[in-house]
Amino acid sequence: MQLGLIGLGKMGGNMRDRLVAAGHDVVGYDTNPDISDVRDLPELVSKLDAPRNVWVMVPAGKITQAVIDELGGLLDKGDLVIDGGNSKFTDDAKHEKELADKGIEFADCGVSGGVWGKENGYALMAGGSDANIERLMPIFDALRPEGPRDESFCHAGAVGAGHYVKMVHNGIEYGMMQAYAEGYELLEAKEIVKDVPAAFKAWTRGTVVRSWLQELIAAALEKDGDLSQIEGFVNDSGEGRWTVQEAVEYGVPMPVISASLFQRFFSRQGTDSPAMKAVAAMRNEFGGHAVTKKGEKGIVTDH
């Protein structure tokens, strides 16, 4: 299957490699000419056969909007755009309408897997019409891990549902990371515990708290046993706060996720707590998110 892929960064570049390895024809565009297959979006569109399928994998917000605006002027009726970035679900309805006015189809997809997705596959949460999701199924199947489709892919509902499910997924992730991080800080504080990295590594098999996140913090501690090389400064990419906003809107109690979000805000006030060092380390391990090195000033990069 042929696919145009816009955005070849840490996620998009690995996705291109995985799709090509599965036999798909991918035409990729990135603002970095060293990794781009084409000079610009008009050339990308010209290299795709109609009806075209174009996956957008760029930062949410203004950059995604700019790309979709340009595609709206380049694509033809019957072409399909899918936003696979971390866009807010409310943006999807807007993008769907803007493109529908020109006869262009739209779908959204939350993608989880971080920098490990090329090897392990990605969990996918899609939103859109039955026809458009079925049209993209060969791409979804190539991106997801091997095994039953329903264990790594869901058609969550109408346009916006994919990003909504991914938003809640990331909110849960915030809470899980915070729990591991607080456990790490308590172990570090107790004098009789002499090997905290060994404790986390020992939890990777047989315990009820084992998970991929737990394996990743164990890996981070093997490299830097007391996390002394980083500051406890943690950014957020938006999904956690959107999850809390939705909880307020629907009156859903969400004390754990809310607290984990506020701890990230607190980390930016110079507290440099061991727990937030651990959260920063986990984010770096699974997503390649930048950490603030010891002695450097943290920079807020939300959204």
Side-chain angles (χ1 to χ4, degrees), residues 146-164:
E146 293 183 7
R149 181 184 287 168
D150 61 1
E151 292 182 2
S152 58
F153 171 85
C154 74
H155 180 190
V159 164
H163 279 143
Y164 196 93

Side-chain angles (χ1 to χ4, degrees), residues 275-293:
M276 300 318 292
K277 287 174 179 278
V279 172
M282 279 184 277
R283 292 183 84 236
N284 179 255
E285 287 291 324
F286 72 72
H289 298 288
V291 296
T292 301
K293 295 181 180 179

